[in-house]
Coordinates of all heavy atoms in Angstrom, one line a residue:
W1 N 28.9 -24.9 -67.1 CA 28.2 -24.6 -68.4 C 29.2 -23.9 -69.4 O 29.0 -24.0 -70.5 CB 27.0 -23.8 -68.2 CG 27.3 -22.5 -67.5 CD1 27.3 -22.2 -66.2 CD2 27.5 -21.2 -68.2 NE1 27.6 -20.8 -66.0 CE2 27.7 -20.3 -67.2 CE3 27.6 -20.9 -69.5 CZ2 28.0 -18.9 -67.5 CZ3 27.9 -19.6 -69.8 CH2 28.1 -18.6 -68.9
V2 N 30.2 -23.3 -68.8 CA 31.2 -22.6 -69.7 C 31.9 -23.6 -70.6 O 32.1 -23.4 -71.8 CB 32.2 -21.8 -68.9 CG1 33.2 -21.1 -69.7 CG2 31.5 -20.7 -68.0
A3 N 32.2 -24.7 -70.0 CA 32.9 -25.8 -70.8 C 32.0 -26.3 -71.9 O 32.5 -26.6 -73.0 CB 33.4 -26.9 -69.9
E4 N 30.7 -26.4 -71.6 CA 29.8 -26.9 -72.6 C 29.7 -26.0 -73.8 O 29.4 -26.4 -74.9 CB 28.4 -27.2 -72.0 CG 28.4 -28.4 -71.1 CD 27.0 -28.7 -70.6 OE1 26.0 -28.2 -71.1 OE2 26.9 -29.5 -69.6
M5 N 29.9 -24.7 -73.6 CA 29.8 -23.7 -74.7 C 30.9 -24.0 -75.7 O 30.8 -23.7 -76.8 CB 30.0 -22.3 -74.1 CG 28.8 -21.8 -73.4 SD 28.8 -20.0 -72.9 CE 30.4 -19.5 -73.3
F6 N 32.1 -24.5 -75.2 CA 33.2 -24.6 -76.1 C 33.3 -26.0 -76.7 O 34.3 -26.3 -77.4 CB 34.5 -24.2 -75.4 CG 34.6 -22.8 -75.0 CD1 34.5 -22.4 -73.7 CD2 34.7 -21.8 -76.0 CE1 34.5 -21.1 -73.3 CE2 34.7 -20.5 -75.6 CZ 34.6 -20.1 -74.3
L7 N 32.4 -26.9 -76.3 CA 32.5 -28.3 -76.9 C 32.0 -28.3 -78.3 O 31.1 -27.5 -78.7 CB 31.6 -29.2 -76.0 CG 32.1 -29.6 -74.7 CD1 31.1 -30.4 -73.9 CD2 33.4 -30.3 -74.7
S8 N 32.6 -29.1 -79.1 CA 32.1 -29.3 -80.5 C 30.8 -30.0 -80.5 O 30.4 -30.6 -79.5 CB 33.2 -30.0 -81.3 OG 33.4 -31.3 -80.8
G9 N 30.2 -30.1 -81.6 CA 28.9 -30.7 -81.8 C 28.9 -32.2 -81.4 O 28.1 -32.6 -80.5
P10 N 29.9 -33.0 -81.9 CA 29.9 -34.4 -81.5 C 30.2 -34.6 -80.0 O 29.6 -35.5 -79.4 CB 31.0 -35.0 -82.4 CG 31.1 -34.1 -83.6 CD 30.7 -32.7 -83.0
S11 N 31.1 -33.8 -79.5 CA 31.4 -33.9 -78.0 C 30.3 -33.6 -77.2 O 30.0 -34.3 -76.2 CB 32.6 -33.0 -77.7 OG 33.7 -33.3 -78.4
L12 N 29.5 -32.6 -77.6 CA 28.4 -32.2 -76.8 C 27.3 -33.2 -76.8 O 26.6 -33.6 -75.9 CB 27.8 -30.9 -77.3 CG 26.8 -30.1 -76.5 CD1 27.3 -29.8 -75.1 CD2 26.3 -28.9 -77.2
E13 N 27.1 -33.8 -78.0 CA 26.1 -34.9 -78.2 C 26.5 -36.1 -77.4 O 25.7 -36.8 -76.8 CB 26.0 -35.2 -79.7 CG 24.9 -36.2 -80.0 CD 23.5 -35.6 -79.7 OE1 23.3 -34.4 -79.8 OE2 22.6 -36.4 -79.4
K14 N 27.8 -36.4 -77.4 CA 28.3 -37.6 -76.6 C 28.0 -37.4 -75.1 O 27.6 -38.3 -74.4 CB 29.8 -37.8 -76.9 CG 30.4 -39.0 -76.2 CD 31.8 -39.1 -76.6 CE 32.5 -40.3 -75.9 NZ 33.9 -40.4 -76.2
R15 N 28.3 -36.1 -74.6 CA 28.1 -35.8 -73.2 C 26.6 -35.9 -72.9 O 26.2 -36.5 -71.8 CB 28.6 -34.5 -72.9 CG 28.4 -34.0 -71.5 CD 28.9 -32.7 -71.2 NE 30.3 -32.8 -70.7 CZ 31.0 -31.8 -70.1 NH1 30.4 -30.6 -70.0 NH2 32.2 -32.0 -69.7
K16 N 25.7 -35.5 -73.8 CA 24.3 -35.5 -73.5 C 23.9 -37.0 -73.5 O 23.0 -37.4 -72.6 CB 23.6 -34.8 -74.7 CG 22.1 -34.7 -74.5 CD 21.5 -34.0 -75.7 CE 20.0 -34.1 -75.7 NZ 19.4 -33.5 -76.9
R17 N 24.3 -37.8 -74.4 CA 23.9 -39.3 -74.4 C 24.4 -39.9 -73.1 O 23.7 -40.8 -72.6 CB 24.5 -39.9 -75.6 CG 23.7 -39.7 -76.9 CD 24.1 -40.7 -78.0 NE 25.5 -40.8 -78.2 CZ 26.2 -40.2 -79.2 NH1 25.5 -39.4 -80.0 NH2 27.5 -40.3 -79.3
E18 N 25.6 -39.6 -72.7 CA 26.2 -40.2 -71.5 C 25.3 -39.8 -70.3 O 25.0 -40.6 -69.4 CB 27.6 -39.8 -71.3 CG 28.3 -40.4 -70.1 CD 28.3 -41.9 -70.1 OE1 28.4 -42.5 -71.1 OE2 28.4 -42.5 -69.0
A19 N 24.9 -38.5 -70.2 CA 24.1 -38.1 -69.1 C 22.7 -38.8 -69.1 O 22.2 -39.2 -68.0 CB 23.9 -36.6 -69.1
E20 N 22.1 -38.9 -70.3 CA 20.9 -39.6 -70.4 C 21.0 -41.1 -70.0 O 20.1 -41.7 -69.4 CB 20.3 -39.5 -71.8 CG 19.8 -38.2 -72.2 CD 19.4 -38.0 -73.6 OE1 19.7 -39.0 -74.4 OE2 18.7 -37.0 -74.0
R21 N 22.1 -41.7 -70.4 CA 22.4 -43.1 -70.0 C 22.5 -43.3 -68.5 O 21.9 -44.2 -67.9 CB 23.6 -43.7 -70.7 CG 23.8 -45.1 -70.5 CD 25.2 -45.6 -71.0 NE 26.3 -45.0 -70.2 CZ 26.7 -45.4 -69.0 NH1 26.0 -46.3 -68.4 NH2 27.6 -44.8 -68.4
Q22 N 23.1 -42.4 -67.9 CA 23.3 -42.4 -66.4 C 21.9 -42.2 -65.7 O 21.7 -42.8 -64.6 CB 24.3 -41.4 -65.9 CG 25.7 -41.7 -66.3 CD 26.7 -40.7 -65.9 OE1 26.3 -39.6 -65.5 NE2 27.9 -41.0 -65.9
R23 N 21.0 -41.5 -66.3 CA 19.7 -41.3 -65.7 C 18.8 -42.4 -66.1 O 17.6 -42.4 -65.6 CB 19.2 -39.9 -66.1 CG 19.9 -38.7 -65.5 CD 19.1 -37.4 -65.8 NE 18.6 -37.3 -67.1 CZ 19.0 -36.4 -68.0 NH1 19.8 -35.5 -67.6 NH2 18.4 -36.3 -69.2
G24 N 19.2 -43.3 -67.0 CA 18.3 -44.4 -67.3 C 17.4 -44.1 -68.5 O 16.4 -44.8 -68.7
I25 N 17.6 -43.0 -69.2 CA 16.8 -42.6 -70.3 C 17.3 -43.3 -71.6 O 18.3 -43.0 -72.1 CB 16.7 -41.1 -70.5 CG1 16.2 -40.5 -69.3 CG2 15.9 -40.7 -71.7 CD1 16.3 -39.0 -69.3
T26 N 16.5 -44.3 -72.0 CA 16.9 -45.1 -73.3 C 16.1 -44.5 -74.4 O 15.1 -43.7 -74.3 CB 16.5 -46.5 -73.1 OG1 15.1 -46.6 -72.9 CG2 17.2 -47.2 -71.9
P27 N 16.5 -44.8 -75.7 CA 15.7 -44.3 -76.8 C 14.3 -44.8 -76.8 O 13.4 -44.1 -77.3 CB 16.5 -44.9 -78.0 CG 17.9 -45.1 -77.5 CD 17.8 -45.4 -76.1
E28 N 14.0 -45.9 -76.2 CA 12.6 -46.4 -76.2 C 11.8 -45.6 -75.2 O 10.7 -45.2 -75.5 CB 12.6 -47.9 -75.7 CG 11.3 -48.6 -75.9 CD 10.9 -48.8 -77.3 OE1 11.8 -48.9 -78.2 OE2 9.7 -48.8 -77.5
I29 N 12.4 -45.2 -74.1 CA 11.7 -44.3 -73.2 C 11.4 -42.9 -73.8 O 10.4 -42.4 -73.7 CB 12.5 -44.2 -71.8 CG1 12.5 -45.5 -71.1 CG2 12.0 -43.1 -71.0 CD1 13.3 -45.6 -69.9
K30 N 12.5 -42.4 -74.5 CA 12.3 -41.1 -75.2 C 11.2 -41.2 -76.2 O 10.4 -40.3 -76.4 CB 13.6 -40.7 -75.8 CG 14.6 -40.3 -74.8 CD 16.0 -40.0 -75.3 CE 16.2 -39.3 -76.6 NZ 17.6 -39.1 -76.9
R31 N 11.1 -42.4 -76.8 CA 10.0 -42.6 -77.9 C 8.6 -42.5 -77.2 O 7.7 -41.8 -77.7 CB 10.2 -43.9 -78.6 CG 9.2 -44.3 -79.6 CD 9.5 -45.6 -80.3 NE 8.5 -46.0 -81.1 CZ 7.6 -47.0 -80.8 NH1 7.9 -47.8 -79.8 NH2 6.7 -47.3 -81.6
Y32 N 8.4 -43.2 -76.1 CA 7.2 -43.2 -75.4 C 6.8 -41.8 -74.9 O 5.7 -41.4 -75.0 CB 7.1 -44.2 -74.3 CG 7.1 -45.6 -74.8 CD1 7.9 -46.6 -74.3 CD2 6.1 -46.0 -75.7 CE1 7.9 -47.9 -74.8 CE2 6.0 -47.3 -76.2 CZ 6.9 -48.2 -75.7 OH 6.9 -49.5 -76.2
E33 N 7.9 -41.1 -74.4 CA 7.6 -39.7 -74.0 C 7.2 -38.8 -75.1 O 6.3 -38.0 -74.9 CB 8.9 -39.2 -73.3 CG 9.3 -39.8 -72.0 CD 8.3 -39.4 -70.9 OE1 7.8 -38.3 -70.9 OE2 8.0 -40.3 -70.1
E34 N 7.8 -39.0 -76.3 CA 7.4 -38.2 -77.4 C 6.0 -38.5 -77.8 O 5.2 -37.5 -78.1 CB 8.4 -38.5 -78.5 CG 8.3 -37.6 -79.7 CD 9.4 -37.8 -80.7 OE1 9.9 -38.9 -80.8 OE2 9.6 -36.8 -81.4
I35 N 5.6 -39.7 -77.8 CA 4.2 -40.1 -78.2 C 3.2 -39.5 -77.2 O 2.2 -38.9 -77.5 CB 4.0 -41.6 -78.3 CG1 4.8 -42.1 -79.5 CG2 2.5 -42.0 -78.4 CD1 4.9 -43.6 -79.5
K36 N 3.6 -39.5 -75.9 CA 2.8 -39.0 -74.8 C 2.6 -37.4 -75.0 O 1.5 -36.9 -74.9 CB 3.4 -39.3 -73.4 CG 2.6 -38.8 -72.2 CD 3.1 -39.3 -70.9 CE 4.3 -38.5 -70.5 NZ 4.7 -38.9 -69.2
V37 N 3.7 -36.8 -75.2 CA 3.7 -35.3 -75.5 C 2.8 -35.0 -76.7 O 2.0 -34.0 -76.7 CB 5.1 -34.7 -75.6 CG1 5.0 -33.3 -76.1 CG2 5.8 -34.8 -74.3
G38 N 2.9 -35.8 -77.7 CA 2.1 -35.6 -78.9 C 0.6 -35.8 -78.6 O -0.2 -35.0 -79.1
V39 N 0.2 -36.8 -77.9 CA -1.2 -37.0 -77.5 C -1.7 -35.8 -76.7 O -2.8 -35.3 -76.9 CB -1.4 -38.3 -76.7 CG1 -2.8 -38.4 -76.1 CG2 -1.1 -39.5 -77.6
I40 N -0.9 -35.3 -75.7 CA -1.3 -34.2 -74.9 C -1.4 -32.9 -75.8 O -2.4 -32.2 -75.6 CB -0.3 -33.9 -73.7 CG1 -0.3 -35.1 -72.8 CG2 -0.5 -32.6 -73.0 CD1 0.8 -35.1 -71.8
T41 N -0.5 -32.7 -76.6 CA -0.5 -31.5 -77.5 C -1.7 -31.5 -78.4 O -2.4 -30.5 -78.6 CB 0.8 -31.3 -78.3 OG1 1.9 -31.4 -77.4 CG2 0.8 -30.0 -79.0
T42 N -2.0 -32.7 -79.0 CA -3.2 -32.8 -79.8 C -4.5 -32.6 -79.1 O -5.4 -31.9 -79.5 CB -3.2 -34.2 -80.5 OG1 -2.0 -34.5 -81.1 CG2 -4.4 -34.4 -81.4
S43 N -4.5 -33.1 -77.9 CA -5.7 -32.9 -77.0 C -5.9 -31.4 -76.7 O -7.0 -30.9 -76.7 CB -5.6 -33.7 -75.7 OG -5.5 -35.1 -76.0
V44 N -4.8 -30.7 -76.4 CA -4.9 -29.3 -76.1 C -5.4 -28.6 -77.3 O -6.2 -27.6 -77.2 CB -3.5 -28.8 -75.6 CG1 -3.5 -27.3 -75.6 CG2 -3.2 -29.4 -74.2
G45 N -4.9 -28.9 -78.5 CA -5.3 -28.3 -79.7 C -6.8 -28.4 -79.9 O -7.5 -27.5 -80.3
I46 N -7.3 -29.6 -79.7 CA -8.8 -29.9 -79.9 C -9.6 -29.1 -78.8 O -10.6 -28.4 -79.2 CB -9.1 -31.4 -79.8 CG1 -8.5 -32.1 -81.0 CG2 -10.6 -31.7 -79.7 CD1 -8.5 -33.7 -80.9

């Protein structure tokens, strides 16, 4: 984690995208997760 502290913004973003790609997290999956979290949060609010 020490190395991540010293990474620049683009390098950190690139490393994050690579880690997500290796785990199989695509932008489409992230989109569905975001909608799911939104529905849950709205339901909790109600």
Side-chain angles (χ1 to χ4, degrees):
W1 61 272
V2 176
E4 289 186 13
M5 285 185 355
F6 296 110
L7 287 176
S8 64
S11 299
L12 191 60
E13 188 65 30
K14 183 178 178 184
R15 178 180 267 194
K16 182 181 171 186
R17 279 195 311 261
E18 180 62 27
E20 287 176 348
R21 187 190 63 77
Q22 287 176 350
R23 290 192 316 243
I25 300 173
T26 63
E28 193 65 31
I29 291 173
K30 285 169 47 175
R31 176 177 173 251
Y32 288 129
E33 289 293 322
E34 190 171 26
I35 294 170
K36 183 171 78 173
V37 169
V39 168
I40 292 170
T41 308
T42 304
S43 302
V44 167
I46 292 170

